[in-house]
Amino acid sequence: MQIVCRKDGEKKSFILDKEDIVIGRRDKASTSDLQLDTDSSISRRHLRVLLLDGETFVEDLGSSWGTKVNGQAIQSRTRVTPEDEIRIGDTLISITPPPSGGTIWLRLESHDDTVTFSDQEMPDNLVVRSELPPGETMARIERDTVQMSKKQLAVLFELPQHFAGEPTTESLANLILNRALQIIPAAERGAVLVRDQARNNQFAVVASRPEKTPPVSRTLVKRCVANKVGFIWTSDQELDPTASMASLNLETGLYAPLIWLDQIVGVVCVDSKSGKTAFSQDDLSFLMTVANYAGAAISNLMLRKDLEQSLAMSQRLLASVSKHGETRAKTGNP
């Protein structure tokens, strides 16, 4: 389950793969599963969180200052939902359990530090469903579809932080491509294309490896945009390969759309010359998750650029009107 703790404007998110969790204050004598070190008003063993028959319950463990749910002190085991606000000491807590069906949800948030996992924290074949809060993009990975490695999960956790620090579409696109080539073992080349509003919404290559000869099939880009879904492509799927496919020696590749609010803002693709079975569904699912985050980040950059241009235009217009008014006042013209 996921437990989010908030205190003094600081938010920390914890993922614990247990159905019975004790939350308390960090202390040498504490035996709590989740120990918080920023709130001295929390007892060493303060609160128990239980998952029972698909529902979440909290129980105060005789703490000094008690536990409140939505402002009301609790005296016994109390059922809670992700929307309920739980207070222990000066810390607010929200709890999101894994949904039924054995799927684990991870809320991927920006963190100050790079996220790392120990063997105890992250099993080798942990399978996840990832979700972002409203206002950001959301990507879902079903348990039966993909099993992500710890390295891939670490990259996903880091993406929001890294994306937020990129000032241009080009730098963001290069970051997206670098991460894809780094994490997908068979990926040898790749490219990121972004919709260019100034050119009738055509898709322009803004990042590629190698840089001088982008390994991009426009036919496959159009297919990805039209269907709004990622796919694995192999050369034996084409009865009549295009000239670009032949010239680039394309054997197999992954194509994923960058989507934000149901709008395609770009496409990311990687390919391999290692053989038609180089990529797996796991690779595709990982790339699609990265693409979902990238779509939101690129859209935010585009929106910010549009706002800056509108503001600059408004300032020029106001300056022109002001200058014209001053000229009329000096000349006495109406």
Side-chain angles (χ1 to χ4, degrees), residues 10 17-18 23 75 99 125 142 145 147 186 203 208-209 213 247 249 255-256 280 291 297-298 309 320 333:
E10 182 181 2
D17 190 18
K18 298 180 64 176
I23 302 175
Q75 305 299 328
N125 291 321
E142 300 296 342
T145 303
Q147 293 187 330
F203 288 85
S208 69
R209 302 289 185 277
T213 55
S247 64
N249 296 317
Y255 280 71
S280 67
I298 287 178
Q309 290 177 344
S320 177
N333 293 328

Side-chain angles (χ1 to χ4, degrees), residues 86-248:
I86 305 159
R87 178 181 288 273
I88 59 173
D90 295 322
T91 300
L92 296 178
I93 293 176
S94 61
I95 303 169
T96 302
S100 59
T103 305
I104 299 174
W105 284 23
L106 296 181
R107 188 180 297 278
L108 306 184
E109 300 174 353
S110 177
H111 294 270
D112 294 334
D113 301 317
T114 300
V115 177
T116 58
F117 306 107
S118 69
D119 290 338
Q120 291 75 27
E121 293 170 323
M122 195 66 67
D124 288 333
N125 291 321
L126 176 65
V127 187
V128 307
R129 172 178 289 178
S130 60
E131 180 198 1
L132 280 174
E136 301 178 44
T137 189
M138 181 169 65
R140 295 184 176 89
I141 306 172
E142 300 296 342
R143 176 175 290 275
D144 294 336
T145 303
V146 60
Q147 293 187 330
M148 287 191 174
S149 69
K150 289 186 285 188
K151 189 174 182 180
Q152 288 175 326
L153 284 170
V155 168
L156 293 181
F157 267 94
E158 295 169 4
L159 282 181
Q161 175 189 359
H162 291 308
F163 282 178
E166 296 301 330
T168 66
T169 302
E170 289 75 16
S171 62
L172 181 56
N174 276 287
L175 174 60
I176 296 166
L177 183 57
N178 288 339
R179 288 294 184 269
L181 293 175
Q182 172 190 359
I183 297 300
I184 300 176
E188 301 174 26
R189 306 180 297 180
V192 175
L193 299 88
V194 175
R195 185 185 295 274
D196 189 345
Q197 296 177 340
R199 298 182 178 178
N200 297 321
N201 288 323
Q202 294 182 357
F203 288 85
V205 176
V206 293
S208 69
R209 302 289 185 277
E211 295 183 3
K212 294 184 178 180
T213 55
V216 176
S217 165
R218 293 288 175 175
T219 299
L220 298 179
V221 169
K222 291 179 180 178
R223 182 183 304 175
C224 187
V225 172
N227 296 331
K228 291 186 177 182
V229 67
F231 57 86
I232 301 175
W233 174 87
T234 58
S235 58
D236 56 10
Q237 296 175 7
E238 301 295 329
L239 297 177
D240 185 19
T242 64
S244 63
M245 292 177 183
S247 64
L248 293 169

Side-chain angles (χ1 to χ4, degrees), residues 49 55-58 69 78-84 86 95 97:
V49 181
E55 295 184 320
T56 306
F57 295 85
V58 294
V69 175
T78 303
R79 188 176 70 86
V80 295
T81 69
E83 290 72 34
D84 289 326
I86 305 159
I95 303 169

